[in-house]
Amino acid sequence: MRNSILLFLILIITFNACSSDNDIPIINAKITLNFTHHWDETPVTNEDFNSIKFTTKNGEQLSIERLRYVISNVLLTDAKNNIDTLSNYHLINIGENSGLSYESPKTVHPGIYDLTFIFGFKDADNVDSAYKDLNTANFNVPAMLGGGYHFMQFDGKYKDTNIQDSNFNYHAIRAVDRTDPNNLKFQDTSIAVDLGEVIIDNNASIEIKMNIAEWFKNPNTWDLNVLNTVLMPNFDAQKMMSENGEGVFSLGEITQN
């Protein structure tokens, strides 16, 4: 009887250590996130910067001189609501070619997951001066606007109604109402992004795509002749940016090694 129980336990341990299909031991997979950028269907890199070559839905021609943004709470969630955190936050700077690829220190069990993240920071995580690398990158929001951090800094030039080059600073932050400077009122304008289902079989590289044109497109057709600079203290402009950001990100190619 004792030998039978021992044999049963050995069989259970052996079964759990192997995949059901081919008896290959299951190992956790490394996850790499690759961030790519596009203007609709046209790929965009820093080699496209500083040249007026893009056209918004409203018809303004523009250049990109700086584009960097932060995402946070990058999560993989399985069907049983088990969560693996790939990154607490991550800064992408297209102009400097930094942060475009990120290998998470967290490995995950092969399976089917939902990939989600926050564009910017939720209020609870948007803590003033809390993140040293973002402080070093001068990504902070001034105290007069409530502190915390930018979600995105997107700068460039556009052709105004006089066909002259004019500056725009499309900076996304938490919306703040400064009607009473002594009693600031905030609205969380971070964006919850759900890229949908990803299947992890092995070490995987996942492409996250940003369509830059969408920032000017849906649901608010952006008029750079009206909304161009000093947008950070503009409560309504921040809400419009957040609304337009809903359709900016999408899931790209997934490759497994």
Side-chain angles (χ1 to χ4, degrees):
M1 180 65 179
R2 181 178 179 182
N3 288 338
S4 296
I5 294 174
L6 180 60
L7 177 59
F8 177 76
L9 291 175
I10 291 173
L11 288 173
I12 291 295
I13 292 171
T14 302
F15 178 81
N16 286 336
C18 300
S19 68
S20 59
D21 294 332
N22 52 16
D23 289 341
I24 297 174
I26 295 173
I27 57 174
N28 278 2
K30 296 179 180 178
I31 304 297
T32 300
L33 304 176
N34 294 317
F35 298 87
T36 63
H37 305 87
H38 309 261
W39 190 277
D40 291 326
E41 301 302 321
T42 303
V44 176
T45 71
N46 63 353
E47 294 182 358
D48 298 300
F49 279 25
N50 304 309
S51 175
I52 292 182
K53 59 191 303 183
F54 306 106
T55 304
T56 68
K57 181 182 179 182
N58 201 49
E60 287 95 25
Q61 294 178 300
L62 63 79
S63 67
I64 302 170
E65 296 180 350
R66 178 171 68 167
L67 178 50
R68 56 183 189 168
Y69 59 97
V70 68
I71 63 173
S72 61
N73 286 316
V74 186
L75 308 177
L76 287 176
T77 305
D78 68 15
K80 295 181 179 178
N81 209 33
N82 298 312
I83 297 174
D84 289 298
T85 301
L86 298 181
S87 176
N88 291 322
Y89 68 92
H90 181 65
L91 177 66
I92 297 102
N93 188 332
I94 305 172
E96 295 183 355
N97 263 337
S98 63
L100 299 180
S101 184
Y102 170 79
E103 181 178 314
S104 174
K106 175 71 175 178
T107 59
V108 303
H109 201 71
I112 301 174
Y113 296 90
D114 194 50
L115 175 59
T116 60
F117 63 83
I118 300 296
F119 173 78
F121 288 109
K122 300 293 290 182
D123 276 353
D125 300 320
N126 198 7
V127 180
D128 196 38
S129 302
Y131 311 113
K132 290 183 179 179
D133 55 337
L134 297 185
N135 300 339
T136 301
N138 294 319
F139 217 57
N140 310 74
V141 169
M144 63 178 294
L145 297 176
Y149 292 92
H150 283 81
F151 302 163
M152 180 173 70
Q153 292 174 323
F154 179 11
D155 303 315
K157 288 186 171 56
Y158 71 100
K159 292 290 187 184
D160 64 19
T161 52
N162 296 316
I163 320 299
Q164 299 297 310
D165 289 356
S166 296
N167 295 324
F168 74 85
N169 306 112
Y170 195 109
H171 288 201
I173 65 172
R174 172 180 53 186
V176 54
D177 182 347
R178 298 186 69 253
T179 303
D180 179 358
N182 295 316
N183 184 27
L184 300 181
K185 296 180 180 178
F186 300 101
Q187 180 170 324
D188 187 345
T189 42
S190 63
I191 303 169
V193 179
D194 187 343
L195 294 180
E197 181 181 284
V198 296
I199 300 174
I200 306 298
D201 295 326
N202 210 322
N203 296 334
S205 294
I206 303 172
E207 180 187 18
I208 297 176
K209 303 170 69 174
M210 172 195 270
N211 183 356
I212 302 167
E214 283 288 341
W215 289 111
F216 302 95
K217 190 181 289 186
N218 293 311
N220 305 297
T221 301
W222 201 271
D223 187 346
L224 279 173
N225 288 291
V226 177
L227 297 168
N228 39 60
T229 59
V230 198
L231 300 180
M232 291 170 62
N234 187 326
F235 187 83
D236 291 332
Q238 291 301 323
K239 290 197 300 181
M240 292 169 64
M241 290 180 192
S242 180
E243 292 167 356
N244 282 12
E246 295 281 349
V248 162
F249 294 96
S250 62
L251 183 64
E253 186 177 2
I254 302 175
T255 58
Q256 318 255 358
N257 302 318

